[in-house]
Amino acid sequence: MKLHLIPLLILFQLSVPAQAQVRVKDLFASAPDSIFPLLTQNNRLDCIDFRENNMTARVKNRMDDVSELKELTDDYLLMHVSAHSTAELRLLGDSLLCLVNTFLGPTADSRVRFFDMSWDPVTIALPLPRVEDFWQPVPDSLAQEASFARQSLQALPLLKVSAQAGEPILTFTLQTAELAEKEKEVAQRYVQPLRYRWDGKAFQPL
C-alpha cells in the first residue's frame, strides 16, 4: 500500500506547478471554436508564435479577413478579430478567465463573459453602472444640455468595456459619439470612465 502512494505523490507534486503556470496564451490556443468563430486553432497558434518571435501577429481568418494579435502577456491578450470587433482575455487568479468582446460599428459596445480553465461558463456578478454614475457635477450654465444628453444616453446606453495587463481591472466607458453636437461637447467634458477591480470574489468600484 505504501509503495503505491509514492507515484501518486510524485504526480500530485508535478501537477501543482503545472496549474500555477497557466498562461492566457495556453487558454487562447485551447479555446473551443465557438468562442472565436472567425479564428481557427491554427490561426491562434500562428498568432502566438509570431508574437513570441517579435513578428507582426497577423493572419487571414475564416472569412478571409485580417485578424491581428496586438498584445500578449502572461495574464492578458488583446486580439483585433476583424475591422469591427476585438476580443480581450484576462486571467483573474488561477481559476477564472474573463472574455471581453467589443463590437465597433460605429459606436463601441461590449459583452463580458467568464469561464473556468476548461472554458465552461461561470456566473459572476458584474456591476453594470447606470448612465448617471458616469457623470461628474455639471455647472448650472450647462445643466440643460447635460439633461438632454442624459436622456438620450439612457434611451440606448452603450458601454465599452476594456481589460488590461498587470492589474485585474475592468474599465467601463459610456459611449457618447451618437449625441447631438452640443450635448456631445458637454458629455465629453463631464462623462468619466468607471473602473472596477477584481478582489478574488467580486468586482469592486475604484
Side-chain angles (χ1 to χ4, degrees):
M1 180 68 71
K2 291 182 179 179
L3 291 176
H4 289 297
L5 287 175
I6 294 175
L8 291 175
L9 288 171
I10 293 173
L11 286 173
F12 176 76
Q13 291 171 346
L14 289 174
S15 69
V16 171
Q19 292 176 350
Q21 292 172 4
V22 172
R23 292 170 294 184
V24 76
K25 71 173 185 178
D26 302 318
L27 296 165
F28 180 57
S30 66
D33 288 347
S34 59
I35 302 294
F36 299 101
L38 288 184
L39 300 172
T40 67
Q41 187 177 50
N42 283 339
N43 285 157
R44 287 175 266 138
L45 290 171
D46 284 345
C47 282
I48 292 169
D49 185 55
F50 293 153
R51 185 77 187 184
E52 291 186 333
N53 285 281
N54 298 315
M55 301 168 62
T56 301
R58 191 176 295 154
V59 295
K60 284 290 188 71
N61 59 39
R62 292 181 190 273
M63 299 299 292
D64 205 33
D65 196 2
V66 175
S67 298
E68 184 174 354
L69 180 58
K70 299 293 288 187
E71 189 172 349
L72 178 63
T73 68
D74 285 347
D75 61 15
Y76 175 76
L77 176 152
L78 170 61
M79 186 84 196
H80 285 195
V81 181
S82 72
H84 305 290
S85 65
T86 65
E88 294 175 274
L89 291 179
R90 181 62 168 85
L91 279 172
L92 301 174
D94 58 4
S95 61
L96 188 64
L97 181 65
C98 176
L99 170 62
V100 181
N101 291 108
T102 298
F103 305 94
L104 313 166
T107 301
D109 190 32
S110 298
R111 178 189 182 192
V112 183
R113 290 178 288 169
F114 300 94
F115 301 88
D116 63 17
M117 298 297 99
S118 298
W119 284 101
D120 291 321
V122 176
T123 300
I124 296 293
L126 179 65
L128 289 178
R130 302 167 300 171
V131 167
E132 53 265 33
D133 295 335
F134 291 92
W135 282 83
Q136 302 297 305
V138 177
D140 292 342
S141 60
L142 296 173
Q144 186 174 22
E145 288 85 352
S147 177
F148 289 153
R150 286 194 190 94
Q151 292 175 20
S152 298
L153 293 170
Q154 286 168 345
L156 185 62
L158 297 177
L159 299 179
K160 182 181 185 296
V161 184
S162 56
Q164 64 183 62
E167 292 188 89
I169 291 173
L170 293 180
T171 300
F172 289 74
T173 304
L174 182 63
Q175 301 298 285
T176 61
E178 299 301 307
L179 293 174
E181 198 60 36
K182 287 186 178 180
E183 298 170 9
K184 187 192 302 183
E185 290 177 7
V186 176
Q188 288 175 342
R189 289 173 60 186
Y190 295 100
V191 171
Q192 300 295 323
L194 298 175
R195 303 170 77 222
Y196 295 83
R197 184 193 297 275
W198 177 252
D199 67 1
K201 296 181 180 179
F203 282 95
Q204 304 293 343
L206 293 177

